[in-house]
Amino acid sequence: MTRAAGDETRRRVAIFTDETGWHTRKLREALARRAFEGRCVDLEHCRFDTGAGPSGLVIPGFGRNLPLAGIVRGIAGGSLEQITKRLGVLHALRELGVPIYNDARAIERSVDKSMTSFLLHKAGVATPQAWAIEDAAQARRLLMRETAARRCLVLKPMFGSQGKGLQKVGWVSNEEGSDASGGQAVPLPDLKSVGGLAYLQRFIPQQESEQAPGFDWRVMVIGGCAVAAMKRVSPHWVRNVAQGARSVASPLLPALAQLAEAAAAALDMDYAGVDLVPDPASPLGAQVIEVNGVAAWRGLQKVTPFDIAQAIVDDLLARRLGVPLLAGAAGQVCQIGSGVTRSA
């Protein structure tokens, strides 16, 4: 690798993204405050070229050099071959000693919802029971058992995001409430319509009304420390901000912090957006439903004074690169948006 091409080159950080906007601007501003330069790079345009230089990689905007580090903000969809190559670039950078935040392994674990469920279960983190089944007959038998027990399941795309493509199957209660006596049996669609795989997660119902619509929590974890939380409130059961949910300020309760930190640790993530649903039957009062390795935080930033982009940059520089924190930055990294200070 060639990172000894002058001080200016050594202070360049790649922000890997398929689109520039609010998030990339905030990261570049946070890097600039630490006298580093953030350069946006689309993994689609990166390439392997073993004749181009010592590294065997070409990263646009970096010439024959490599970035000091990389922050993954987005990876464009594509064919299996294209995605494999894009993740391969991240794997290669790690092999060359370039810290990637989050690295390809963490992203692969979080994008694959079945692996997320497996790792959360393995770590003892409260999470709804889940199944990933390719055999259609086996999936139908499972659904028959769950329907007979008046349980609802959520059919999710294995690699979906932002609440797109979610469907309720099994015993689906009436809109008015979660009373299992009022509802209907909803069958599985043809598995060919969902990529030949049924990833199913048991639905956790809530008591809700027009006056008190349901919600879930999004908790941001940075460097192993839960730093801020919000409620995502919506009358619809899919409560992603991208699907119209409202971001509402929420204190980061100790139980939520504990669950979110354990979830991020189970997937070995530098930073994560952890989604939790309230569940009075769970020991900590909630269950983890998803862990996002390329988490958006614009909605959360609107309802917390905590500077999320700066915390990501400070954690990358301090923990992964050994760059000393600025005076007062340690408090920023460990300060929960509710005003409670935690130790990282």
Side-chain angles (χ1 to χ4, degrees):
M1 58 187 268
T2 57
R3 283 196 283 161
D7 185 66
E8 181 181 349
T9 299
R10 290 199 299 269
R11 300 186 77 83
R12 291 177 183 165
V13 174
I15 302 173
F16 292 108
T17 181
D18 57 321
E19 59 181 28
T20 58
W22 184 88
H23 289 88
T24 54
R25 185 177 77 253
K26 291 297 182 182
L27 289 171
R28 293 183 69 185
E29 291 171 353
L31 284 163
R33 283 191 287 269
R34 299 297 307 277
F36 288 82
E37 179 188 359
R39 290 195 170 189
C40 294
V41 181
D42 193 332
L43 284 164
E44 177 183 349
H45 300 143
C46 300
R47 67 182 188 273
F48 289 92
D49 185 345
T50 56
S55 71
L57 284 177
V58 176
I59 310 298
F62 291 86
R64 293 172 61 87
N65 302 302
L66 295 177
L68 175 67
I71 301 172
V72 181
R73 181 53 241 144
I75 302 174
S79 67
L80 175 61
E81 291 81 2
Q82 290 172 319
I83 297 299
T84 299
K85 175 242 138 186
R86 293 165 193 171
L87 289 169
V89 170
L90 299 180
H91 280 296
L93 286 168
R94 177 178 56 84
E95 292 296 324
L96 291 164
V98 178
I100 303 298
Y101 194 105
N102 286 308
D103 74 14
R105 296 169 299 179
I107 291 171
E108 288 166 350
R109 286 188 287 263
S110 64
V111 168
D112 178 350
K113 289 184 173 62
S114 62
M115 181 55 67
T116 297
S117 291
F118 167 75
L119 290 172
L120 292 175
H121 173 74
K122 179 174 179 288
V125 179
T127 188
Q129 187 169 349
W131 301 262
I133 303 172
E134 292 186 53
D135 185 275
Q138 194 174 55
R140 286 193 295 270
R141 287 195 295 271
L142 163 68
L143 193 62
M144 287 176 62
R145 292 196 301 271
E146 292 293 298
T147 302
R150 292 296 193 265
R151 287 194 285 259
C152 177
L153 305 181
V154 180
L155 176 66
K156 298 184 177 183
M158 177 72 88
F159 303 121
S161 63
Q162 297 185 326
K164 298 175 182 176
L166 276 59
Q167 305 176 54
K168 282 183 178 180
V169 296
W171 187 258
V172 178
S173 298
N174 294 333
E175 292 290 333
E176 290 75 22
S178 58
D179 181 4
S181 64
Q184 60 180 323
V186 177
L188 275 173
D190 189 329
L191 291 192
K192 292 179 182 178
S193 68
V194 288
L197 175 75
Y199 170 77
L200 297 156
Q201 188 181 66
R202 192 169 282 166
F203 180 69
I204 307 299
Q206 296 182 46
Q207 293 290 340
E208 52 188 292
S209 65
E210 289 185 7
Q211 293 73 32
F215 68 92
D216 63 15
W217 288 282
R218 161 63 64 90
V219 177
M220 183 65 71
V221 179
I222 298 174
C225 183
V227 296
M230 69 174 176
K231 285 182 178 180
R232 303 186 301 184
V233 180
S234 174
H236 193 277
W237 63 275
V238 179
R239 297 191 171 97
N240 296 72
V241 172
Q243 300 299 321
R246 291 186 294 112
S247 300
V248 177
S250 173
L252 181 47
L253 303 173
L256 293 180
Q258 181 180 334
L259 279 169
E261 290 169 359
L267 275 69
D268 195 19
M269 290 186 163
D270 291 307
Y271 81 108
V274 182
D275 298 338
L276 308 98
V277 292
D279 181 11
S282 181
L284 291 175
Q287 295 202 51
V288 175
I289 54 171
E290 288 199 17
V291 184
N292 302 276
V294 188
W297 65 86
R298 189 170 187 174
L300 177 55
Q301 190 64 82
K302 290 179 179 178
V303 297
T304 178
F306 184 88
D307 191 334
I308 295 169
Q310 194 65 59
I312 288 172
V313 166
D314 288 347
D315 182 59
L316 166 65
L317 296 178
R319 188 170 53 84
R320 300 297 300 277
L321 293 170
V323 179
L325 287 169
L326 296 175
Q332 154 71 16
V333 170
C334 300
Q335 179 75 21
I336 294 176
S338 64
V340 180
T341 300
R342 294 169 53 81
S343 170

